[in-house]
Amino acid sequence: MRYPFIVSILLASALIAQDNNLKMPEISLIGDLSWVGRSIDDERYSDLSIPGLTHAHHADDGHHHATINAKRGLNLNYAELMLSSAVDPYVELQAVLHLSEEGVEIEELVATTTSLPWNLQARAGKFYSRFGRLNAKHHHVWNFSNQPLVYEAFFGPHNLLEKGVGVEWVSPLPFYLAIGGELLRGENENSFGEAGFQPASAGENFHQKVEPSSQPGVTTLYLKGSEEFGDLTLLAGASWARGSARLNHLREAKPHAFAGTTTLMGVDLTLRYDFAPHRYLQFQSEWMTRTMEGMKYVPTENNNSWDMTKTSAITKDQAGWYGEVIWGLSKEWRVGARLDGITKNVARKPDDLYQYNLMAEYNPSEFSRFRLQFTRDEARVDDAENRVSSNTLILQWNLSIGAHGAHPF
């Protein structure tokens, strides 16, 4: 397998560079393990879906990410290898390799400018979009071990991670205000997708072919600001994204597909009050809406074979949110609670889908963390669309070595 060989070459090259006093990138390695106890077995849990939003079984999407906290018992979730350095006085380069038992993937490879005029900054490569508040943060800096429901529903397990370009302008005002936009490929399989498809395999009654989306597939715009009022810090943002959608689920148990456009809008708010160093109270929330407009394709059976397809124009309006409170008790201890909700869904699908999360966290040092989390999930259904609730207890251990920049709160 060539991926471990590539990683070995990268590490060996870094050591050689260090020994010879050559220009050395900052290197860090982060590992994440967990022990999971769940009230239902692994196979049944993997068969559950969020009605109208996610599917239990997806074909291979080309990712080598192992599902985090997937199985009861001990999980080796991932290791994350990060390398970053200034290329020259004009550009910085950062690479993040995601390593799991499934394989190795270039999670991010992004070049960022450092000396553009007029407070501008540009980036290009593969990166997490700056849509929303949580999207651009890596899993190891989340306040909880799992995604909020609305992120899982609209973006899937990898958030909005895309190849593309972006530009951002920071205003010269006395408070922080940034305006930016991105042109992305649009590969996200939950809300966009770029590959075309043939709805019917044969037959005389249907010959239409859905073409791939044009490039760039997705455009995003965002506004972010923050200000301090004594010991109170306020952060707020608004985001918008629109792009082509090509969602192909024709090979699933209930085959269907969609071609059209998706529009996403979101707002976020974070408030943090610092009582003393390492003692604070923080509230964070995001609300998102999604509108999908286009054609739905459903194959029809004729003599035990799929040979034609019914089409219908549809509009799907959906919305969800989360709100979380984090209490920093000391440098070592934090506790928190988060409520997730899907509060608007498509016709004949439930719109009272909720998930409840509680966590307590111990940080022996800035390089390690132990987290105990309880999750009550009431948002999923089985193949017969019967609601199935579950309780999950997670003990997560996250540790890091090497040079790693400070994380924003």
Side-chain angles (χ1 to χ4, degrees):
M1 186 176 181
R2 69 180 184 277
Y3 294 114
F5 176 74
I6 294 172
V7 174
S8 300
I9 292 296
L10 286 171
L11 291 172
S13 300
L15 292 173
I16 292 171
Q18 188 176 37
D19 289 341
N20 289 277
N21 295 318
L22 300 178
K23 188 174 182 179
M24 178 70 176
E26 291 187 349
I27 300 175
S28 66
L29 181 67
I30 297 167
D32 191 272
L33 302 93
S34 64
W35 179 91
V36 175
R38 188 175 288 122
S39 60
I40 59 178
D41 63 51
D42 297 338
E43 183 176 359
R44 189 181 185 201
Y45 186 75
S46 67
D47 286 339
L48 301 181
S49 60
I50 305 175
L53 291 156
T54 68
H55 296 78
H57 298 289
H58 281 295
D60 181 14
D61 61 0
H63 290 282
H64 292 287
H65 285 63
T67 303
I68 295 170
N69 306 316
K71 297 180 179 180
R72 295 192 294 182
L74 184 63
N75 291 265
L76 175 59
N77 291 318
Y78 62 84
E80 185 177 280
L81 179 64
M82 179 181 294
L83 303 94
S84 62
S85 178
V87 176
D88 52 36
Y90 313 104
V91 176
E92 292 180 347
L93 182 65
Q94 176 177 286
V96 179
L97 302 181
H98 188 100
L99 295 76
S100 74
E101 294 179 299
E102 305 295 323
V104 180
E105 180 177 355
I106 299 176
E107 183 167 357
E108 288 192 277
L109 180 63
V110 55
T112 305
T113 62
T114 57
S115 58
L116 290 181
W118 307 306
N119 292 338
L120 289 170
Q121 186 179 74
R123 60 189 181 279
K126 183 182 181 183
F127 53 84
Y128 286 99
S129 168
R130 295 204 67 193
F131 182 101
R133 170 83 167 117
L134 184 66
N135 189 79
K137 294 186 176 183
H138 288 220
H139 173 260
H140 64 271
V141 298
W142 295 357
N143 290 322
F144 294 84
S145 298
N146 56 341
Q147 287 176 298
L149 277 177
V150 67
Y151 268 88
E152 181 182 352
F154 289 176
F155 298 134
H158 314 301
N159 285 1
L160 188 56
L161 173 61
E162 293 278 352
K163 305 176 187 76
V165 297
V167 64
E168 182 175 286
W169 174 73
V170 178
S171 81
L173 296 171
F175 58 90
Y176 176 75
L177 178 66
I179 301 172
E182 300 159 337
L183 297 175
L184 308 174
R185 188 165 184 87
E187 296 175 302
N188 182 271
E189 64 169 3
N190 278 51
S191 286
F192 300 107
E194 62 167 346
F197 53 86
Q198 181 74 49
S201 59
E204 300 177 356
N205 299 310
F206 194 87
H207 302 285
Q208 182 178 353
K209 180 179 180 181
V210 177
E211 297 295 334
S213 62
S214 57
Q215 291 297 317
V218 176
T219 301
T220 73
L221 297 172
Y222 59 84
L223 173 71
K224 299 179 183 292
S226 69
E227 179 61 300
E228 294 184 355
F229 304 93
D231 294 323
L232 177 67
T233 302
L234 180 149
L235 294 88
S239 306
W240 174 90
R242 182 176 175 84
S244 300
R246 301 287 188 270
L247 307 182
N248 183 358
H249 304 292
L250 292 170
R251 295 183 179 179
E252 296 188 0
K254 298 179 181 179
H256 61 281
F258 174 82
T261 59
T262 297
T263 303
L264 290 159
M265 291 185 288
V267 292
D268 61 86
L269 174 67
T270 301
L271 296 169
R272 171 166 163 158
Y273 188 85
D274 289 283
F275 300 98
H278 310 297
R279 290 184 58 238
Y280 63 89
L281 188 64
Q282 177 179 312
F283 169 79
Q284 179 176 311
S285 182
E286 292 188 65
W287 175 78
M288 295 185 197
T289 67
R290 180 175 75 174
T291 300
M292 304 180 75
E293 300 176 291
M295 299 296 296
K296 181 178 181 180
Y297 300 85
V298 180
T300 58
E301 189 174 6
N302 183 21
N303 295 326
N304 298 318
S305 64
W306 302 110
D307 67 352
M308 60 183 293
T309 304
K310 291 181 180 179
T311 63
S312 58
I314 65 167
T315 298
K316 297 170 61 175
D317 289 314
Q318 297 163 307
W321 61 274
Y322 74 89
E324 65 182 38
V325 176
I326 304 296
W327 187 7
L329 302 172
S330 66
K331 185 177 180 180
E332 293 83 14
W333 287 96
R334 301 194 313 159
V335 295
R338 191 185 76 204
L339 173 62
D340 308 339
I342 300 296
T343 53
K344 187 177 184 181
N345 211 344
V346 296
R348 298 185 297 280
K349 298 293 183 181
D351 56 5
D352 59 343
L353 306 172
Y354 294 101
Q355 185 173 261
Y356 311 87
N357 305 274
L358 297 171
M359 75 87 177
E361 187 179 284
Y362 174 61
N363 297 267
S365 72
E366 60 182 304
F367 301 102
S368 63
R369 177 180 65 224
F370 293 91
R371 176 186 289 150
L372 183 65
Q373 178 175 319
F374 171 78
T375 297
R376 169 70 176 178
D377 191 339
E378 299 178 354
R380 299 175 200 275
V381 298
D382 59 19
D383 289 340
E385 301 204 352
N386 298 312
R387 191 80 65 99
V388 178
S389 299
S390 65
N391 298 318
T392 302
L393 189 66
I394 300 173
L395 178 60
Q396 179 188 14
W397 184 25
N398 188 276
L399 59 162
S400 65
I401 57 175
H404 197 290
H407 298 128
F409 74 85

